[in-house]
Amino acid sequence: QVQLVESGGGLVQPGGSLRLSCAASGSIFRIKTMGWYRRAPGKGRELVASITASLYTNYADAVKGRFTISRDNAENAVYLQMNSLKPEDTAVYYCNTYPPSSAYWGQGTQVTVSS
């Protein structure tokens, strides 16, 4: 079964950093554009960053200069390095293809930025 599993979330103070990981169970994801998404309390899910198979990246304006998306196709993994975290980054973070597929939504990983 093809699936995506997120990890690496936690509680961090404003200005801190976290690195999220997304483990893909199928090699099909190596040729896919992948994305990190988030859903903040009371809001809809939004795209945070995406990365193509050829490593072209794109970021939401709210995270530009603070977040970095990367991937390791040999490990079937996608990462999100988050620096200079702000309270408004608090959300559940998910990885999926871009555009997203309903078949691949996982449980996500909670990121809470609070002092």
Side-chain angles (χ1 to χ4, degrees), residues 92-104:
V92 179
Y93 285 72
Y94 306 84
C95 66
N96 203 322
T97 56
Y98 178 78
S101 169
S102 59
Y104 300 145

Side-chain angles (χ1 to χ4, degrees), residues 34-102:
M34 299 298 294
W36 279 99
Y37 302 78
R38 68 184 181 187
R39 175 175 280 164
K43 296 185 178 181
R45 192 149 37 195
E46 63 175 349
L47 177 67
V48 174
S50 63
I51 184 167
T52 68
S54 55
L55 305 182
Y56 178 81
T57 59
N58 196 30
Y59 298 92
D61 288 343
V63 307
K64 279 181 181 176
R66 300 188 298 121
F67 291 11
T68 302
I69 189 171
S70 61
R71 67 192 298 165
D72 184 339
N73 285 341
E75 296 293 329
N76 280 353
V78 182
Y79 305 100
L80 187 68
Q81 177 67 43
M82 306 186 296
N83 299 328
S84 303
L85 283 161
K86 304 176 181 180
E88 51 264 44
D89 295 319
T90 295
V92 179
Y93 285 72
Y94 306 84
C95 66
N96 203 322
T97 56
Y98 178 78
S101 169
S102 59

Side-chain angles (χ1 to χ4, degrees), residues 27-43:
S27 61
I28 187 175
F29 295 107
R30 296 179 182 178
I31 62 172
K32 298 279 190 180
T33 295
M34 299 298 294
W36 279 99
Y37 302 78
R38 68 184 181 187
R39 175 175 280 164
K43 296 185 178 181

